[in-house]
Short mmCIF file of all heavy atoms in Angstrom, two decimals:
data_model
loop_
_atom_site.label_atom_id
_atom_site.label_comp_id
_atom_site.label_asym_id
_atom_site.label_seq_id
_atom_site.Cartn_x
_atom_site.Cartn_y
_atom_site.Cartn_z
N TYR A 343 53.46 -69.88 60.05
CA TYR A 343 53.48 -71.36 60.36
C TYR A 343 54.63 -72.01 59.68
O TYR A 343 55.18 -71.52 58.82
CB TYR A 343 52.10 -71.99 59.97
CG TYR A 343 51.85 -71.97 58.40
CD1 TYR A 343 52.14 -73.20 57.68
CD2 TYR A 343 51.32 -70.94 57.75
CE1 TYR A 343 51.87 -73.21 56.38
CE2 TYR A 343 51.05 -70.95 56.42
CZ TYR A 343 51.40 -72.13 55.71
OH TYR A 343 51.12 -72.17 54.37
N SER A 344 55.00 -73.19 60.23
CA SER A 344 56.23 -73.85 59.86
C SER A 344 55.97 -74.72 58.61
O SER A 344 54.87 -75.12 58.32
CB SER A 344 56.70 -74.68 60.96
OG SER A 344 57.73 -75.54 60.60
N GLY A 345 57.00 -74.93 57.85
CA GLY A 345 57.07 -75.84 56.76
C GLY A 345 57.46 -77.25 57.21
O GLY A 345 57.86 -78.05 56.40
N ASN A 346 57.38 -77.51 58.57
CA ASN A 346 57.65 -78.87 59.12
C ASN A 346 59.13 -79.23 58.94
O ASN A 346 59.48 -80.39 58.81
CB ASN A 346 56.78 -79.92 58.60
CG ASN A 346 55.34 -79.62 58.93
OD1 ASN A 346 55.04 -79.21 60.04
ND2 ASN A 346 54.39 -79.96 58.07
N GLN A 347 59.97 -78.19 58.78
CA GLN A 347 61.46 -78.49 58.77
C GLN A 347 62.08 -77.46 59.77
O GLN A 347 61.68 -76.37 59.85
CB GLN A 347 61.97 -78.25 57.34
CG GLN A 347 61.56 -79.27 56.36
CD GLN A 347 62.26 -80.64 56.53
OE1 GLN A 347 63.27 -80.69 57.23
NE2 GLN A 347 61.66 -81.67 55.96
N GLN A 348 63.09 -77.94 60.42
CA GLN A 348 63.78 -77.10 61.36
C GLN A 348 64.38 -75.86 60.66
O GLN A 348 64.97 -75.95 59.64
CB GLN A 348 64.95 -77.81 62.07
CG GLN A 348 65.61 -77.04 63.16
CD GLN A 348 66.67 -77.87 63.87
OE1 GLN A 348 66.86 -79.03 63.55
NE2 GLN A 348 67.30 -77.24 64.87
N GLY A 349 64.13 -74.66 61.23
CA GLY A 349 64.61 -73.43 60.58
C GLY A 349 63.50 -72.80 59.74
O GLY A 349 63.82 -71.69 59.15
N SER A 350 62.40 -73.43 59.58
CA SER A 350 61.31 -72.90 58.67
C SER A 350 60.13 -72.33 59.58
O SER A 350 59.02 -72.23 58.96
CB SER A 350 60.92 -73.83 57.66
OG SER A 350 60.21 -74.92 58.28
N GLU A 351 60.33 -72.14 60.84
CA GLU A 351 59.21 -71.76 61.66
C GLU A 351 58.53 -70.49 61.26
O GLU A 351 57.29 -70.23 61.50
CB GLU A 351 59.69 -71.67 63.11
CG GLU A 351 60.05 -73.02 63.77
CD GLU A 351 61.44 -73.46 63.38
OE1 GLU A 351 62.17 -72.69 62.69
OE2 GLU A 351 61.80 -74.59 63.74
N THR A 352 59.23 -69.55 60.69
CA THR A 352 58.66 -68.31 60.25
C THR A 352 58.72 -68.18 58.69
O THR A 352 58.95 -67.07 58.18
CB THR A 352 59.36 -67.10 60.86
OG1 THR A 352 60.75 -67.15 60.55
CG2 THR A 352 59.20 -67.11 62.41
N LEU A 353 58.52 -69.23 58.03
CA LEU A 353 58.64 -69.18 56.59
C LEU A 353 57.33 -68.80 55.88
O LEU A 353 57.36 -67.99 54.96
CB LEU A 353 59.13 -70.58 56.02
CG LEU A 353 59.30 -70.75 54.57
CD1 LEU A 353 60.36 -69.82 54.04
CD2 LEU A 353 59.70 -72.19 54.27
N PHE A 354 56.26 -69.40 56.31
CA PHE A 354 54.94 -69.17 55.65
C PHE A 354 54.09 -68.22 56.42
O PHE A 354 53.91 -68.43 57.62
CB PHE A 354 54.19 -70.48 55.38
CG PHE A 354 54.89 -71.38 54.42
CD1 PHE A 354 55.66 -72.53 54.92
CD2 PHE A 354 54.91 -71.17 53.06
CE1 PHE A 354 56.30 -73.32 54.08
CE2 PHE A 354 55.57 -72.06 52.23
CZ PHE A 354 56.31 -73.11 52.71
N LYS A 355 53.53 -67.21 55.81
CA LYS A 355 52.76 -66.25 56.53
C LYS A 355 51.27 -66.39 56.28
O LYS A 355 50.86 -66.50 55.09
CB LYS A 355 53.22 -64.84 56.19
CG LYS A 355 52.68 -63.66 57.06
CD LYS A 355 53.29 -62.34 56.74
CE LYS A 355 52.92 -61.27 57.77
NZ LYS A 355 53.55 -60.01 57.50
N ILE A 356 50.46 -66.31 57.34
CA ILE A 356 49.06 -66.28 57.26
C ILE A 356 48.57 -64.89 57.57
O ILE A 356 48.74 -64.38 58.64
CB ILE A 356 48.43 -67.24 58.27
CG1 ILE A 356 48.81 -68.71 57.99
CG2 ILE A 356 46.89 -67.19 58.18
CD1 ILE A 356 48.37 -69.71 58.98
N LYS A 357 48.02 -64.20 56.49
CA LYS A 357 47.64 -62.83 56.60
C LYS A 357 46.34 -62.60 55.70
O LYS A 357 46.33 -63.15 54.53
CB LYS A 357 48.72 -61.92 56.09
CG LYS A 357 48.46 -60.47 56.13
CD LYS A 357 49.64 -59.65 55.56
CE LYS A 357 49.30 -58.20 55.47
NZ LYS A 357 50.46 -57.41 54.99
N GLN A 358 45.45 -61.91 56.15
CA GLN A 358 44.21 -61.64 55.39
C GLN A 358 44.61 -60.88 54.12
O GLN A 358 45.33 -59.86 54.16
CB GLN A 358 43.15 -60.91 56.15
CG GLN A 358 41.90 -60.70 55.44
CD GLN A 358 40.75 -60.17 56.38
OE1 GLN A 358 40.64 -60.69 57.46
NE2 GLN A 358 40.00 -59.18 55.92
N GLY A 359 44.12 -61.35 52.95
CA GLY A 359 44.47 -60.74 51.69
C GLY A 359 45.68 -61.27 51.03
O GLY A 359 45.99 -60.96 49.89
N GLU A 360 46.46 -62.09 51.74
CA GLU A 360 47.66 -62.70 51.22
C GLU A 360 47.43 -64.07 50.54
O GLU A 360 46.49 -64.76 50.82
CB GLU A 360 48.61 -62.94 52.40
CG GLU A 360 49.99 -63.38 51.95
CD GLU A 360 50.80 -62.35 51.23
OE1 GLU A 360 50.93 -61.25 51.77
OE2 GLU A 360 51.25 -62.64 50.07
N GLU A 361 48.23 -64.28 49.50
CA GLU A 361 48.20 -65.60 48.86
C GLU A 361 48.58 -66.67 49.81
O GLU A 361 49.56 -66.56 50.54
CB GLU A 361 49.08 -65.58 47.62
CG GLU A 361 48.62 -64.80 46.46
CD GLU A 361 49.57 -64.92 45.30
OE1 GLU A 361 50.67 -64.41 45.36
OE2 GLU A 361 49.18 -65.57 44.26
N PHE A 362 47.89 -67.80 49.81
CA PHE A 362 48.29 -68.93 50.61
C PHE A 362 49.56 -69.49 50.04
O PHE A 362 49.68 -69.69 48.83
CB PHE A 362 47.11 -70.02 50.61
CG PHE A 362 47.44 -71.17 51.49
CD1 PHE A 362 47.34 -71.01 52.81
CD2 PHE A 362 47.81 -72.37 50.96
CE1 PHE A 362 47.60 -72.06 53.73
CE2 PHE A 362 48.08 -73.46 51.76
CZ PHE A 362 47.95 -73.36 53.10
N GLY A 363 50.44 -69.89 50.97
CA GLY A 363 51.76 -70.46 50.51
C GLY A 363 52.87 -69.39 50.29
O GLY A 363 53.85 -69.71 49.77
N SER A 364 52.59 -68.15 50.71
CA SER A 364 53.53 -67.09 50.51
C SER A 364 54.74 -67.32 51.48
O SER A 364 54.51 -67.53 52.67
CB SER A 364 52.96 -65.71 50.79
OG SER A 364 51.98 -65.42 49.83
N MET A 365 56.01 -67.20 51.00
CA MET A 365 57.14 -67.34 51.78
C MET A 365 57.69 -66.00 52.13
O MET A 365 57.83 -65.13 51.34
CB MET A 365 58.20 -68.08 51.04
CG MET A 365 57.85 -69.48 50.51
SD MET A 365 59.23 -70.25 49.64
CE MET A 365 58.42 -71.76 49.04
N TRP A 366 58.06 -65.82 53.41
CA TRP A 366 58.57 -64.53 53.91
C TRP A 366 59.95 -64.72 54.59
O TRP A 366 60.23 -65.88 55.15
CB TRP A 366 57.60 -63.95 54.89
CG TRP A 366 56.40 -63.44 54.28
CD1 TRP A 366 55.44 -64.17 53.59
CD2 TRP A 366 55.98 -62.08 54.24
NE1 TRP A 366 54.40 -63.34 53.15
CE2 TRP A 366 54.66 -62.06 53.55
CE3 TRP A 366 56.46 -60.88 54.76
CZ2 TRP A 366 54.03 -60.88 53.31
CZ3 TRP A 366 55.70 -59.72 54.56
CH2 TRP A 366 54.55 -59.76 53.84
N GLY A 367 60.78 -63.76 54.40
CA GLY A 367 62.12 -63.87 54.98
C GLY A 367 62.86 -62.59 54.75
O GLY A 367 62.38 -61.57 54.24
N ARG A 368 64.19 -62.56 55.10
CA ARG A 368 65.04 -61.45 54.88
C ARG A 368 65.56 -61.41 53.42
O ARG A 368 65.72 -62.53 52.84
CB ARG A 368 66.20 -61.39 55.86
CG ARG A 368 65.74 -61.29 57.34
CD ARG A 368 66.96 -61.20 58.24
NE ARG A 368 66.51 -61.08 59.65
CZ ARG A 368 66.23 -62.10 60.45
NH1 ARG A 368 66.30 -63.38 60.01
NH2 ARG A 368 65.84 -61.86 61.67
#
Side-chain angles (χ1 to χ4, degrees):
Y343 66 98
S344 172
N346 296 323
Q347 290 287 342
Q348 186 176 0
S350 66
E351 290 80 6
T352 57
L353 180 61
F354 296 101
K355 191 171 189 178
I356 300 178
K357 177 183 178 182
Q358 186 166 318
E360 185 67 55
E361 288 182 288
F362 184 75
S364 296
M365 301 180 187
W366 287 63
R368 298 179 178 90

